[in-house]
Protein backbone atom coordinates (compact mmCIF):
# COMPACT_ATOMS: atom_id res chain seq x y z
CA UNK A 1 0.00 0.00 0.00
CA UNK A 2 1.38 3.40 -0.95
CA UNK A 3 1.50 6.30 1.53
CA UNK A 4 -1.25 8.05 -0.44
CA UNK A 5 -3.46 4.97 -0.23
CA UNK A 6 -2.75 4.66 3.49
CA UNK A 7 -3.54 8.34 4.02
CA UNK A 8 -6.83 7.97 2.15
CA UNK A 9 -7.73 4.88 4.17
CA UNK A 10 -7.09 6.65 7.46
CA UNK A 11 -8.96 9.78 6.35
CA UNK A 12 -12.03 7.82 5.30
CA UNK A 13 -11.99 5.79 8.54
CA UNK A 14 -11.79 8.96 10.62
CA UNK A 15 -14.54 10.60 8.57
CA UNK A 16 -16.81 7.62 9.13
CA UNK A 17 -16.63 8.20 12.89
CA UNK A 18 -19.12 11.00 12.27
CA UNK A 19 -21.77 8.33 11.86
CA UNK A 20 -25.05 9.69 10.52
CA UNK A 21 -23.48 12.83 9.11
CA UNK A 22 -20.97 10.77 7.12
CA UNK A 23 -23.82 8.63 5.78
CA UNK A 24 -25.73 11.72 4.66
CA UNK A 25 -22.65 13.24 3.02
CA UNK A 26 -20.58 10.43 1.45
CA UNK A 27 -16.82 10.81 1.24
CA UNK A 28 -16.89 10.80 -2.57
CA UNK A 29 -19.03 13.93 -2.56
CA UNK A 30 -16.84 16.01 -0.26
CA UNK A 31 -15.09 19.03 -1.68
CA UNK A 32 -11.27 18.96 -1.84
CA UNK A 33 -11.10 21.54 0.96
CA UNK A 34 -13.23 19.39 3.28
CA UNK A 35 -11.22 16.30 2.41
CA UNK A 36 -8.01 18.16 3.25
CA UNK A 37 -9.22 18.62 6.83
CA UNK A 38 -9.53 14.86 7.14
CA UNK A 39 -6.17 14.28 5.46
CA UNK A 40 -4.52 16.47 8.10
CA UNK A 41 -6.18 14.39 10.80
CA UNK A 42 -5.12 11.21 9.03
CA UNK A 43 -1.52 12.43 8.92
CA UNK A 44 -1.61 12.99 12.67
CA UNK A 45 -3.13 9.56 13.33
CA UNK A 46 -0.58 7.87 11.07
CA UNK A 47 2.28 9.63 12.85
CA UNK A 48 1.07 8.35 16.22
CA UNK A 49 0.58 4.84 14.83
CA UNK A 50 4.06 4.86 13.30
CA UNK A 51 5.59 5.96 16.62
CA UNK A 52 3.75 3.21 18.47
CA UNK A 53 4.83 0.58 15.96
CA UNK A 54 8.45 1.73 16.14
CA UNK A 55 8.34 1.67 19.93
CA UNK A 56 6.86 -1.83 19.95
CA UNK A 57 9.52 -3.07 17.54
CA UNK A 58 12.30 -1.59 19.69
CA UNK A 59 10.84 -3.19 22.80
CA UNK A 60 10.52 -6.60 21.19
CA UNK A 61 13.90 -6.91 19.72
Amino acid sequence: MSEDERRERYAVALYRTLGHSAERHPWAGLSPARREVWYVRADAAMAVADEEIAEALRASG
Side-chain angles (χ1 to χ4, degrees):
M1 173 184 314
S2 73
E3 279 300 301
D4 286 343
E5 291 168 330
R6 182 176 180 227
R7 185 180 194 222
E8 182 85 5
R9 185 176 176 187
Y10 270 71
V12 170
L14 289 167
Y15 180 68
R16 286 184 179 155
T17 65
L18 294 178
H20 181 70
S21 182
E23 292 171 11
R24 288 183 46 218
H25 306 284
W27 177 258
L30 292 183
S31 70
R34 288 189 183 236
R35 283 184 182 212
E36 185 58 31
V37 170
W38 292 98
Y39 289 139
V40 169
R41 292 173 181 167
D43 291 339
M46 290 187 323
V48 170
D50 290 346
E51 289 173 10
E52 291 175 340
I53 291 166
E55 186 176 305
L57 289 173
R58 281 191 299 276
S60 70

